[in-house]
Amino acid sequence: MLKAEPLPLLATGIGKKAVVAITGLVLYGFVFVHALGNLQVFLGREAIKAYRESLHSFPKALWGARAVLLVCLLTHVTLTIDIAAKARAARTTRYKVSAPIAEQGILQRYARKTMVLSGPILLVYIMFHLAHLTAGVVPGLPFKAGEVYDNLVRGFQNPMVAGLYIVANLLLGLHLYHGGVALFQTLGLRHPQWDAHTRHAAFLVTAVVTATNVIIPTTIAAGLIRQ
Amino acid sequence: MAETIDLKLHVWRQKGPSDPGKFEDYSQYAKGISTHASFLEFLDVVNERLVLANQEPIVFDHDCREGICGMCGIVINGEPHGPQKATTTCQLHMRTFRNGEELWVEPWRAAAFPVIRDLSVDRSAFDRIIQAGGYITARAGAAPDANAIPIPKRLADEAMDAATCIGCGACVAACPNASASLFMAAKIGHLNTLPQGQAERDKRTLAMVAQHEREGFGACSNHYLCEAACPKEISVQWIARMNRDLLKAAMTYKPEPQRAGGDG
Ligand code: HEM
Ligand code: FES
């Protein structure tokens, strides 16, 4: 007789995916607010500096938020690596011919296929981004603490840096688009009446985040914003 | 359309679970195939010719040959059950293929479905998932009146959609993670949708998900190839429902107390 003992939620793929979805949602909220905040670079040096200072005037809240984000990111990454490793063990052989099987739009197909790829690349990008604009420790890129505007403009005047940000944020776009739809499925929050709205909302939020994050380095690299 | 076609046929041959296996070129036995034959009849013809040539026939699973038992299951050019939507291998006809087309025929690939021989895999992991689900509490005795339990038409239809799963395993074969989520979701979902399934709802959901984990299937990462490969077109909506049922059950389920029963 089979012993049908239930497993703790976090020992099941569904439970792990739920945590991936919730931590992903927190990070989603962050990138959205972060992107909108960064738009203030177009209002000029003083506006974005004032924004930075208002955030830094609540150090407890700032560090609290940073801690939450860090925990979410680490959890998200650790669990997805664990899930991907299990999936590899579950499917060790590939088929001779790789068929598309499902008829899916190019965006959807590409986004779902690149999840495991866009994730780790994002992680490298996030580390570079923090080293560049938060800590200011990237060799060759001058940095002055508190001078957000100058740091941004000087950084993106380097086409390599701008290019890296643009590519990474396009990948983030794919990741967010797939993730934004997937998380509703993962958490079981689906209904035929909402499905279209969910997809549109994920697309819209992703488009806003991606467009903002691509436009900022592009305009600076093109010399439209100067010091 | 030509009445017969010639095919470039490659078939996976594997002597047993521990044999590494390899593709064999059987094009010489795949000439003059009637376009009216089903894919399994095509394999029957190839097998007759192999036997005449003193070779071992290809082992493949089949039973009803009318698309309802779920025994047949072959990957043809990377697609479980071949290229035609909503069709089992036994219902797939050779007119689907072009004269001279190259076919790569292989078994379901999943660690939880070890190859028994050639194209035949061991799908008993599915039986154990069903078994883990256990019984439903139903009144025994004389057959109940029809409609004794009122069930809204919508729910009856939905439950029927899930219950069309024939357990063939194409969802696992199609999934890049070899996840059996669609199978499991259909089996959990059809009982969880009906009044008869409510008494053991949480217990069943938890137990079947746990067994899926123990069998070594992967987790769903929302590729949705299962839905596209399913010969019964079962929707991935069922996976969302299963996820919801599991999360709810994990947070609220209390095991039955193990007390001795009354004197009766
Ligand atoms: C800005 C940071 C990030 C955000 C906002 C984010 C958001 C999301 C969301 C919402 C999901 C959907 C969860 C679901 O399937 O229901 C997801 C999935 C995923 N994320 Fe992220 N993520 C971020 C960073 C990363 C990083 C750094 C990795 C690196 C490993 C990663 C790897 C993955 C993978 C692999 C999946 C798919 C899970 C699966 O296939 O089962 N993510 N992400
Ligand atoms: S042989 Fe029964 S479904 Fe194909």
Side-chain angles (χ1 to χ4, degrees), chain A residues 17 20-21 24-25 27-28 31 73 76-77 80-81 83 115-116 119-120 122-123 126 172 175-176 178-180 182-184 186, chain B residues 220-222:
Chain A
K17 280 301 299 289
V20 170
L25 192 62
L27 295 168
Y28 221 112
V31 286
L73 183 66
H76 187 90
V77 174
T80 48
I81 291 172
I83 292 167
M115 275 324 251
V116 189
L122 281 181
L123 194 61
I126 293 168
L172 176 64
H175 193 94
L176 290 182
H178 179 91
L183 74 93
F184 289 93
T186 302
Chain B
C220 172
S221 59
N222 308 314

PDB file of all heavy atoms in Angstrom, chain A residues 17 20-21 24-25 27-28 31 73 76-77 80-81 83 115-116 119-120 122-123 126 172 175-176 178-180 182-184 186, chain B residues 220-222, ligand 1:
ATOM      1  N   LYS A  17       7.067  27.338  -6.338  1.00  0.00           N
ATOM      2  CA  LYS A  17       6.705  28.298  -7.387  1.00  0.00           C
ATOM      3  C   LYS A  17       5.873  29.445  -6.817  1.00  0.00           C
ATOM      4  O   LYS A  17       5.993  30.580  -7.272  1.00  0.00           O
ATOM      5  CB  LYS A  17       5.930  27.602  -8.515  1.00  0.00           C
ATOM      6  CG  LYS A  17       6.769  26.841  -9.511  1.00  0.00           C
ATOM      7  CD  LYS A  17       7.804  27.681 -10.241  1.00  0.00           C
ATOM      8  CE  LYS A  17       7.212  28.805 -11.070  1.00  0.00           C
ATOM      9  NZ  LYS A  17       6.527  28.345 -12.258  1.00  0.00           N
ATOM     10  N   VAL A  20       8.258  31.824  -5.457  1.00  0.00           N
ATOM     11  CA  VAL A  20       8.907  32.517  -6.575  1.00  0.00           C
ATOM     12  C   VAL A  20       7.981  33.620  -7.102  1.00  0.00           C
ATOM     13  O   VAL A  20       8.415  34.745  -7.376  1.00  0.00           O
ATOM     14  CB  VAL A  20       9.261  31.531  -7.722  1.00  0.00           C
ATOM     15  CG1 VAL A  20       9.715  32.277  -8.968  1.00  0.00           C
ATOM     16  CG2 VAL A  20      10.343  30.569  -7.279  1.00  0.00           C
ATOM     17  N   ALA A  21       6.693  33.304  -7.207  1.00  0.00           N
ATOM     18  CA  ALA A  21       5.740  34.268  -7.742  1.00  0.00           C
ATOM     19  C   ALA A  21       5.573  35.457  -6.790  1.00  0.00           C
ATOM     20  O   ALA A  21       5.552  36.612  -7.221  1.00  0.00           O
ATOM     21  CB  ALA A  21       4.396  33.595  -7.995  1.00  0.00           C
ATOM     22  N   GLY A  24       8.704  37.461  -6.752  1.00  0.00           N
ATOM     23  CA  GLY A  24       8.755  38.122  -8.065  1.00  0.00           C
ATOM     24  C   GLY A  24       7.836  39.334  -8.093  1.00  0.00           C
ATOM     25  O   GLY A  24       8.188  40.376  -8.641  1.00  0.00           O
ATOM     26  N   LEU A  25       6.685  39.204  -7.456  1.00  0.00           N
ATOM     27  CA  LEU A  25       5.724  40.315  -7.432  1.00  0.00           C
ATOM     28  C   LEU A  25       6.286  41.508  -6.653  1.00  0.00           C
ATOM     29  O   LEU A  25       6.130  42.663  -7.062  1.00  0.00           O
ATOM     30  CB  LEU A  25       4.413  39.832  -6.808  1.00  0.00           C
ATOM     31  CG  LEU A  25       3.208  40.752  -6.945  1.00  0.00           C
ATOM     32  CD1 LEU A  25       2.841  40.953  -8.410  1.00  0.00           C
ATOM     33  CD2 LEU A  25       2.016  40.183  -6.192  1.00  0.00           C
ATOM     34  N   LEU A  27       9.464  42.221  -6.318  1.00  0.00           N
ATOM     35  CA  LEU A  27      10.501  42.816  -7.167  1.00  0.00           C
ATOM     36  C   LEU A  27       9.860  43.588  -8.326  1.00  0.00           C
ATOM     37  O   LEU A  27      10.353  44.630  -8.748  1.00  0.00           O
ATOM     38  CB  LEU A  27      11.428  41.724  -7.700  1.00  0.00           C
ATOM     39  CG  LEU A  27      12.255  40.983  -6.636  1.00  0.00           C
ATOM     40  CD1 LEU A  27      12.911  39.737  -7.204  1.00  0.00           C
ATOM     41  CD2 LEU A  27      13.316  41.893  -6.040  1.00  0.00           C
ATOM     42  N   TYR A  28       8.754  43.066  -8.805  1.00  0.00           N
ATOM     43  CA  TYR A  28       7.982  43.726  -9.866  1.00  0.00           C
ATOM     44  C   TYR A  28       7.577  45.129  -9.409  1.00  0.00           C
ATOM     45  O   TYR A  28       7.755  46.118 -10.121  1.00  0.00           O
ATOM     46  CB  TYR A  28       6.714  42.902 -10.122  1.00  0.00           C
ATOM     47  CG  TYR A  28       6.330  42.744 -11.566  1.00  0.00           C
ATOM     48  CD1 TYR A  28       6.396  41.501 -12.190  1.00  0.00           C
ATOM     49  CD2 TYR A  28       5.867  43.823 -12.312  1.00  0.00           C
ATOM     50  CE1 TYR A  28       6.034  41.335 -13.502  1.00  0.00           C
ATOM     51  CE2 TYR A  28       5.493  43.660 -13.625  1.00  0.00           C
ATOM     52  CZ  TYR A  28       5.571  42.422 -14.222  1.00  0.00           C
ATOM     53  OH  TYR A  28       5.213  42.249 -15.519  1.00  0.00           O
ATOM     54  N   VAL A  31      10.693  47.409  -9.332  1.00  0.00           N
ATOM     55  CA  VAL A  31      11.214  47.920 -10.613  1.00  0.00           C
ATOM     56  C   VAL A  31      10.267  48.960 -11.214  1.00  0.00           C
ATOM     57  O   VAL A  31      10.706  49.906 -11.860  1.00  0.00           O
ATOM     58  CB  VAL A  31      11.534  46.818 -11.656  1.00  0.00           C
ATOM     59  CG1 VAL A  31      12.794  46.064 -11.298  1.00  0.00           C
ATOM     60  CG2 VAL A  31      10.384  45.889 -11.898  1.00  0.00           C
ATOM     61  N   LEU A  73      15.029  38.836  -3.531  1.00  0.00           N
ATOM     62  CA  LEU A  73      15.844  38.473  -4.693  1.00  0.00           C
ATOM     63  C   LEU A  73      16.566  37.150  -4.451  1.00  0.00           C
ATOM     64  O   LEU A  73      16.532  36.256  -5.302  1.00  0.00           O
ATOM     65  CB  LEU A  73      16.853  39.588  -4.989  1.00  0.00           C
ATOM     66  CG  LEU A  73      17.713  39.365  -6.231  1.00  0.00           C
ATOM     67  CD1 LEU A  73      16.841  39.401  -7.480  1.00  0.00           C
ATOM     68  CD2 LEU A  73      18.816  40.407  -6.351  1.00  0.00           C
ATOM     69  N   HIS A  76      14.060  34.296  -4.473  1.00  0.00           N
ATOM     70  CA  HIS A  76      13.599  34.094  -5.854  1.00  0.00           C
ATOM     71  C   HIS A  76      14.638  33.312  -6.658  1.00  0.00           C
ATOM     72  O   HIS A  76      14.328  32.327  -7.309  1.00  0.00           O
ATOM     73  CB  HIS A  76      13.370  35.481  -6.461  1.00  0.00           C
ATOM     74  CG  HIS A  76      12.749  35.493  -7.811  1.00  0.00           C
ATOM     75  ND1 HIS A  76      11.390  35.544  -7.995  1.00  0.00           N
ATOM     76  CD2 HIS A  76      13.284  35.468  -9.053  1.00  0.00           C
ATOM     77  CE1 HIS A  76      11.128  35.558  -9.292  1.00  0.00           C
ATOM     78  NE2 HIS A  76      12.260  35.507  -9.962  1.00  0.00           N
ATOM     79  N   VAL A  77      15.882  33.751  -6.554  1.00  0.00           N
ATOM     80  CA  VAL A  77      16.940  33.121  -7.335  1.00  0.00           C
ATOM     81  C   VAL A  77      17.234  31.701  -6.838  1.00  0.00           C
ATOM     82  O   VAL A  77      17.314  30.757  -7.627  1.00  0.00           O
ATOM     83  CB  VAL A  77      18.218  33.989  -7.304  1.00  0.00           C
ATOM     84  CG1 VAL A  77      19.370  33.283  -7.971  1.00  0.00           C
ATOM     85  CG2 VAL A  77      17.963  35.327  -7.974  1.00  0.00           C
ATOM     86  N   THR A  80      14.408  29.349  -7.871  1.00  0.00           N
ATOM     87  CA  THR A  80      14.341  29.049  -9.312  1.00  0.00           C
ATOM     88  C   THR A  80      15.497  28.140  -9.720  1.00  0.00           C
ATOM     89  O   THR A  80      15.326  27.267 -10.562  1.00  0.00           O
ATOM     90  CB  THR A  80      14.334  30.315 -10.191  1.00  0.00           C
ATOM     91  OG1 THR A  80      15.371  31.180  -9.762  1.00  0.00           O
ATOM     92  CG2 THR A  80      13.012  31.027 -10.121  1.00  0.00           C
ATOM     93  N   ILE A  81      16.656  28.317  -9.090  1.00  0.00           N
ATOM     94  CA  ILE A  81      17.775  27.423  -9.403  1.00  0.00           C
ATOM     95  C   ILE A  81      17.431  25.999  -8.965  1.00  0.00           C
ATOM     96  O   ILE A  81      17.638  25.031  -9.692  1.00  0.00           O
ATOM     97  CB  ILE A  81      19.078  27.919  -8.737  1.00  0.00           C
ATOM     98  CG1 ILE A  81      19.539  29.210  -9.415  1.00  0.00           C
ATOM     99  CG2 ILE A  81      20.179  26.855  -8.813  1.00  0.00           C
ATOM    100  CD1 ILE A  81      20.701  29.891  -8.743  1.00  0.00           C
ATOM    101  N   ILE A  83      14.407  24.717  -8.643  1.00  0.00           N
ATOM    102  CA  ILE A  83      13.359  24.187  -9.530  1.00  0.00           C
ATOM    103  C   ILE A  83      13.972  23.761 -10.872  1.00  0.00           C
ATOM    104  O   ILE A  83      13.653  22.697 -11.410  1.00  0.00           O
ATOM    105  CB  ILE A  83      12.251  25.250  -9.749  1.00  0.00           C
ATOM    106  CG1 ILE A  83      11.485  25.478  -8.450  1.00  0.00           C
ATOM    107  CG2 ILE A  83      11.293  24.839 -10.862  1.00  0.00           C
ATOM    108  CD1 ILE A  83      10.588  26.706  -8.475  1.00  0.00           C
ATOM    109  N   MET A 115      13.439  32.491 -19.723  1.00  0.00           N
ATOM    110  CA  MET A 115      13.344  32.716 -18.270  1.00  0.00           C
ATOM    111  C   MET A 115      14.616  32.303 -17.528  1.00  0.00           C
ATOM    112  O   MET A 115      15.170  33.054 -16.744  1.00  0.00           O
ATOM    113  CB  MET A 115      12.191  31.930 -17.661  1.00  0.00           C
ATOM    114  CG  MET A 115      10.835  32.571 -17.711  1.00  0.00           C
ATOM    115  SD  MET A 115      10.788  34.306 -17.509  1.00  0.00           S
ATOM    116  CE  MET A 115      10.077  34.479 -15.893  1.00  0.00           C
ATOM    117  N   VAL A 116      15.066  31.093 -17.802  1.00  0.00           N
ATOM    118  CA  VAL A 116      16.213  30.572 -17.062  1.00  0.00           C
ATOM    119  C   VAL A 116      17.490  31.290 -17.488  1.00  0.00           C
ATOM    120  O   VAL A 116      18.451  31.396 -16.728  1.00  0.00           O
ATOM    121  CB  VAL A 116      16.341  29.048 -17.260  1.00  0.00           C
ATOM    122  CG1 VAL A 116      17.377  28.468 -16.337  1.00  0.00           C
ATOM    123  CG2 VAL A 116      15.002  28.378 -17.021  1.00  0.00           C
ATOM    124  N   GLY A 119      17.120  35.237 -16.191  1.00  0.00           N
ATOM    125  CA  GLY A 119      17.309  35.328 -14.739  1.00  0.00           C
ATOM    126  C   GLY A 119      18.758  35.548 -14.356  1.00  0.00           C
ATOM    127  O   GLY A 119      19.115  36.595 -13.815  1.00  0.00           O
ATOM    128  N   PRO A 120      19.661  34.570 -14.650  1.00  0.00           N
ATOM    129  CA  PRO A 120      21.062  34.743 -14.266  1.00  0.00           C
ATOM    130  C   PRO A 120      21.716  35.991 -14.876  1.00  0.00           C
ATOM    131  O   PRO A 120      22.505  36.660 -14.201  1.00  0.00           O
ATOM    132  CB  PRO A 120      21.726  33.472 -14.795  1.00  0.00           C
ATOM    133  CG  PRO A 120      20.630  32.478 -14.872  1.00  0.00           C
ATOM    134  CD  PRO A 120      19.385  33.230 -15.158  1.00  0.00           C
ATOM    135  N   LEU A 122      20.217  38.732 -15.504  1.00  0.00           N
ATOM    136  CA  LEU A 122      19.714  39.835 -14.684  1.00  0.00           C
ATOM    137  C   LEU A 122      20.490  39.945 -13.379  1.00  0.00           C
ATOM    138  O   LEU A 122      20.796  41.036 -12.919  1.00  0.00           O
ATOM    139  CB  LEU A 122      18.250  39.607 -14.340  1.00  0.00           C
ATOM    140  CG  LEU A 122      17.245  39.932 -15.419  1.00  0.00           C
ATOM    141  CD1 LEU A 122      15.850  39.662 -14.903  1.00  0.00           C
ATOM    142  CD2 LEU A 122      17.391  41.377 -15.828  1.00  0.00           C
ATOM    143  N   LEU A 123      20.810  38.818 -12.808  1.00  0.00           N
ATOM    144  CA  LEU A 123      21.522  38.821 -11.541  1.00  0.00           C
ATOM    145  C   LEU A 123      22.874  39.517 -11.706  1.00  0.00           C
ATOM    146  O   LEU A 123      23.255  40.374 -10.897  1.00  0.00           O
ATOM    147  CB  LEU A 123      21.717  37.381 -11.060  1.00  0.00           C
ATOM    148  CG  LEU A 123      22.135  37.221  -9.617  1.00  0.00           C
ATOM    149  CD1 LEU A 123      21.085  37.799  -8.685  1.00  0.00           C
ATOM    150  CD2 LEU A 123      22.373  35.754  -9.289  1.00  0.00           C
ATOM    151  N   ILE A 126      22.196  43.170 -12.116  1.00  0.00           N
ATOM    152  CA  ILE A 126      21.830  43.830 -10.854  1.00  0.00           C
ATOM    153  C   ILE A 126      23.099  44.133 -10.042  1.00  0.00           C
ATOM    154  O   ILE A 126      23.267  45.231  -9.495  1.00  0.00           O
ATOM    155  CB  ILE A 126      20.845  42.959 -10.040  1.00  0.00           C
ATOM    156  CG1 ILE A 126      19.506  42.852 -10.774  1.00  0.00           C
ATOM    157  CG2 ILE A 126      20.631  43.532  -8.640  1.00  0.00           C
ATOM    158  CD1 ILE A 126      18.564  41.807 -10.211  1.00  0.00           C
ATOM    159  N   LEU A 172      15.109  42.041 -19.120  1.00  0.00           N
ATOM    160  CA  LEU A 172      14.224  42.196 -17.962  1.00  0.00           C
ATOM    161  C   LEU A 172      12.785  42.308 -18.440  1.00  0.00           C
ATOM    162  O   LEU A 172      11.870  41.736 -17.843  1.00  0.00           O
ATOM    163  CB  LEU A 172      14.616  43.442 -17.143  1.00  0.00           C
ATOM    164  CG  LEU A 172      13.691  43.767 -15.962  1.00  0.00           C
ATOM    165  CD1 LEU A 172      13.739  42.665 -14.914  1.00  0.00           C
ATOM    166  CD2 LEU A 172      14.035  45.098 -15.320  1.00  0.00           C
ATOM    167  N   HIS A 175      11.508  38.917 -19.186  1.00  0.00           N
ATOM    168  CA  HIS A 175      11.344  38.205 -17.918  1.00  0.00           C
ATOM    169  C   HIS A 175      10.064  38.674 -17.210  1.00  0.00           C
ATOM    170  O   HIS A 175       9.296  37.874 -16.697  1.00  0.00           O
ATOM    171  CB  HIS A 175      12.574  38.460 -17.048  1.00  0.00           C
ATOM    172  CG  HIS A 175      12.688  37.559 -15.867  1.00  0.00           C
ATOM    173  ND1 HIS A 175      13.409  36.398 -15.897  1.00  0.00           N
ATOM    174  CD2 HIS A 175      12.171  37.643 -14.622  1.00  0.00           C
ATOM    175  CE1 HIS A 175      13.329  35.810 -14.716  1.00  0.00           C
ATOM    176  NE2 HIS A 175      12.580  36.545 -13.921  1.00  0.00           N
ATOM    177  N   LEU A 176       9.857  39.998 -17.219  1.00  0.00           N
ATOM    178  CA  LEU A 176       8.690  40.541 -16.526  1.00  0.00           C
ATOM    179  C   LEU A 176       7.402  40.186 -17.253  1.00  0.00           C
ATOM    180  O   LEU A 176       6.362  39.961 -16.631  1.00  0.00           O
ATOM    181  CB  LEU A 176       8.796  42.061 -16.410  1.00  0.00           C
ATOM    182  CG  LEU A 176       9.860  42.602 -15.472  1.00  0.00           C
ATOM    183  CD1 LEU A 176       9.808  44.124 -15.434  1.00  0.00           C
ATOM    184  CD2 LEU A 176       9.692  42.048 -14.074  1.00  0.00           C
ATOM    185  N   HIS A 178       6.743  37.477 -19.152  1.00  0.00           N
ATOM    186  CA  HIS A 178       6.393  36.089 -18.858  1.00  0.00           C
ATOM    187  C   HIS A 178       5.993  35.953 -17.389  1.00  0.00           C
ATOM    188  O   HIS A 178       4.977  35.368 -17.057  1.00  0.00           O
ATOM    189  CB  HIS A 178       7.555  35.149 -19.173  1.00  0.00           C
ATOM    190  CG  HIS A 178       7.232  33.712 -18.867  1.00  0.00           C
ATOM    191  ND1 HIS A 178       6.685  32.862 -19.778  1.00  0.00           N
ATOM    192  CD2 HIS A 178       7.347  33.003 -17.724  1.00  0.00           C
ATOM    193  CE1 HIS A 178       6.481  31.686 -19.222  1.00  0.00           C
ATOM    194  NE2 HIS A 178       6.885  31.736 -17.972  1.00  0.00           N
ATOM    195  N   GLY A 179       6.830  36.528 -16.519  1.00  0.00           N
ATOM    196  CA  GLY A 179       6.585  36.413 -15.081  1.00  0.00           C
ATOM    197  C   GLY A 179       5.256  37.042 -14.672  1.00  0.00           C
ATOM    198  O   GLY A 179       4.532  36.498 -13.839  1.00  0.00           O
ATOM    199  N   GLY A 180       4.920  38.163 -15.289  1.00  0.00           N
ATOM    200  CA  GLY A 180       3.693  38.882 -14.934  1.00  0.00           C
ATOM    201  C   GLY A 180       2.447  38.075 -15.256  1.00  0.00           C
ATOM    202  O   GLY A 180       1.441  38.154 -14.543  1.00  0.00           O
ATOM    203  N   ALA A 182       2.652  34.627 -15.704  1.00  0.00           N
ATOM    204  CA  ALA A 182       2.837  33.335 -15.036  1.00  0.00           C
ATOM    205  C   ALA A 182       2.421  33.383 -13.574  1.00  0.00           C
ATOM    206  O   ALA A 182       1.869  32.423 -13.053  1.00  0.00           O
ATOM    207  CB  ALA A 182       4.296  32.902 -15.142  1.00  0.00           C
ATOM    208  N   LEU A 183       2.672  34.502 -12.919  1.00  0.00           N
ATOM    209  CA  LEU A 183       2.442  34.493 -11.465  1.00  0.00           C
ATOM    210  C   LEU A 183       0.973  34.297 -11.123  1.00  0.00           C
ATOM    211  O   LEU A 183       0.650  33.717 -10.089  1.00  0.00           O
ATOM    212  CB  LEU A 183       3.055  35.717 -10.801  1.00  0.00           C
ATOM    213  CG  LEU A 183       2.407  37.083 -10.940  1.00  0.00           C
ATOM    214  CD1 LEU A 183       1.469  37.350  -9.770  1.00  0.00           C
ATOM    215  CD2 LEU A 183       3.496  38.141 -10.924  1.00  0.00           C
ATOM    216  N   PHE A 184       0.072  34.736 -11.994  1.00  0.00           N
ATOM    217  CA  PHE A 184      -1.355  34.523 -11.741  1.00  0.00           C
ATOM    218  C   PHE A 184      -1.706  33.037 -11.863  1.00  0.00           C
ATOM    219  O   PHE A 184      -2.529  32.514 -11.120  1.00  0.00           O
ATOM    220  CB  PHE A 184      -2.208  35.354 -12.710  1.00  0.00           C
ATOM    221  CG  PHE A 184      -2.148  36.819 -12.408  1.00  0.00           C
ATOM    222  CD1 PHE A 184      -1.221  37.634 -13.049  1.00  0.00           C
ATOM    223  CD2 PHE A 184      -2.982  37.374 -11.457  1.00  0.00           C
ATOM    224  CE1 PHE A 184      -1.145  38.988 -12.751  1.00  0.00           C
ATOM    225  CE2 PHE A 184      -2.918  38.720 -11.155  1.00  0.00           C
ATOM    226  CZ  PHE A 184      -1.991  39.533 -11.799  1.00  0.00           C
ATOM    227  N   THR A 186       0.499  30.574 -11.388  1.00  0.00           N
ATOM    228  CA  THR A 186       1.181  29.898 -10.284  1.00  0.00           C
ATOM    229  C   THR A 186       0.393  30.017  -8.986  1.00  0.00           C
ATOM    230  O   THR A 186       0.316  29.069  -8.207  1.00  0.00           O
ATOM    231  CB  THR A 186       2.589  30.490 -10.112  1.00  0.00           C
ATOM    232  OG1 THR A 186       3.289  30.320 -11.338  1.00  0.00           O
ATOM    233  CG2 THR A 186       3.348  29.813  -8.993  1.00  0.00           C
TER     234      THR A 186
ATOM    235  N   CYS B 220       5.943  22.766 -12.890  1.00  0.00           N
ATOM    236  CA  CYS B 220       5.436  23.528 -14.040  1.00  0.00           C
ATOM    237  C   CYS B 220       6.146  24.883 -14.092  1.00  0.00           C
ATOM    238  O   CYS B 220       6.255  25.554 -13.079  1.00  0.00           O
ATOM    239  CB  CYS B 220       3.942  23.753 -13.892  1.00  0.00           C
ATOM    240  SG  CYS B 220       3.257  24.869 -15.122  1.00  0.00           S
ATOM    241  N   SER B 221       6.648  25.277 -15.271  1.00  0.00           N
ATOM    242  CA  SER B 221       7.124  26.656 -15.376  1.00  0.00           C
ATOM    243  C   SER B 221       6.405  27.381 -16.504  1.00  0.00           C
ATOM    244  O   SER B 221       6.977  28.245 -17.160  1.00  0.00           O
ATOM    245  CB  SER B 221       8.648  26.732 -15.482  1.00  0.00           C
ATOM    246  OG  SER B 221       9.091  26.028 -16.610  1.00  0.00           O
ATOM    247  N   ASN B 222       5.157  27.037 -16.678  1.00  0.00           N
ATOM    248  CA  ASN B 222       4.236  27.801 -17.521  1.00  0.00           C
ATOM    249  C   ASN B 222       4.663  27.919 -18.985  1.00  0.00           C
ATOM    250  O   ASN B 222       4.574  28.984 -19.576  1.00  0.00           O
ATOM    251  CB  ASN B 222       4.015  29.194 -16.921  1.00  0.00           C
ATOM    252  CG  ASN B 222       3.612  29.119 -15.462  1.00  0.00           C
ATOM    253  OD1 ASN B 222       2.752  28.334 -15.087  1.00  0.00           O
ATOM    254  ND2 ASN B 222       4.266  29.895 -14.633  1.00  0.00           N
TER     255      ASN B 222
HETATM  256  C1  HEM C   1      14.304  42.501 -11.047  1.00  0.00           C
HETATM  257  C2  HEM C   1      14.372  41.296 -10.641  1.00  0.00           C
HETATM  258  C3  HEM C   1      13.353  40.209 -10.904  1.00  0.00           C
HETATM  259  C4  HEM C   1      11.975  40.240 -10.998  1.00  0.00           C
HETATM  260  C5  HEM C   1      11.102  41.441 -10.881  1.00  0.00           C
HETATM  261  C6  HEM C   1      11.502  38.903 -11.270  1.00  0.00           C
HETATM  262  C7  HEM C   1      10.174  38.525 -11.413  1.00  0.00           C
HETATM  263  C8  HEM C   1       9.716  37.236 -11.688  1.00  0.00           C
HETATM  264  C9  HEM C   1       8.347  36.782 -11.704  1.00  0.00           C
HETATM  265  C10 HEM C   1       7.138  37.643 -11.428  1.00  0.00           C
HETATM  266  C11 HEM C   1       8.330  35.452 -12.028  1.00  0.00           C
HETATM  267  C12 HEM C   1       7.107  34.569 -12.201  1.00  0.00           C
HETATM  268  C13 HEM C   1       6.921  33.523 -11.170  1.00  0.00           C
HETATM  269  C14 HEM C   1       6.003  32.442 -11.704  1.00  0.00           C
HETATM  270  O1  HEM C   1       6.445  31.633 -12.532  1.00  0.00           O
HETATM  271  O2  HEM C   1       4.846  32.425 -11.330  1.00  0.00           O
HETATM  272  C15 HEM C   1       9.689  35.077 -12.229  1.00  0.00           C
HETATM  273  C16 HEM C   1      10.080  33.842 -12.585  1.00  0.00           C
HETATM  274  C17 HEM C   1      11.377  33.478 -12.719  1.00  0.00           C
HETATM  275  N1  HEM C   1      12.488  34.231 -12.360  1.00  0.00           N
HETATM  276 FE1  HEM C   1      12.529  36.151 -11.870  1.00  0.00          FE
HETATM  277  N2  HEM C   1      12.567  38.097 -11.348  1.00  0.00           N
HETATM  278  C18 HEM C   1      13.723  38.863 -11.129  1.00  0.00           C
HETATM  279  C19 HEM C   1      15.006  38.459 -11.100  1.00  0.00           C
HETATM  280  C20 HEM C   1      15.375  37.188 -11.361  1.00  0.00           C
HETATM  281  C21 HEM C   1      16.726  36.764 -11.265  1.00  0.00           C
HETATM  282  C22 HEM C   1      17.919  37.632 -10.873  1.00  0.00           C
HETATM  283  C23 HEM C   1      16.720  35.466 -11.589  1.00  0.00           C
HETATM  284  C24 HEM C   1      17.972  34.665 -11.595  1.00  0.00           C
HETATM  285  C25 HEM C   1      18.082  33.389 -11.470  1.00  0.00           C
HETATM  286  C26 HEM C   1      15.338  35.077 -11.926  1.00  0.00           C
HETATM  287  C27 HEM C   1      14.906  33.846 -12.367  1.00  0.00           C
HETATM  288  C28 HEM C   1      13.600  33.476 -12.628  1.00  0.00           C
HETATM  289  C29 HEM C   1      13.191  32.238 -13.225  1.00  0.00           C
HETATM  290  C30 HEM C   1      14.116  31.146 -13.710  1.00  0.00           C
HETATM  291  C31 HEM C   1      11.790  32.220 -13.267  1.00  0.00           C
HETATM  292  C32 HEM C   1      10.904  31.129 -13.814  1.00  0.00           C
HETATM  293  C33 HEM C   1      10.549  30.120 -12.789  1.00  0.00           C
HETATM  294  C34 HEM C   1      10.276  28.803 -13.453  1.00  0.00           C
HETATM  295  O3  HEM C   1      10.654  28.620 -14.608  1.00  0.00           O
HETATM  296  O4  HEM C   1       9.674  27.936 -12.815  1.00  0.00           O
HETATM  297  N3  HEM C   1      14.548  36.157 -11.741  1.00  0.00           N
HETATM  298  N4  HEM C   1      10.526  36.177 -12.000  1.00  0.00           N
END
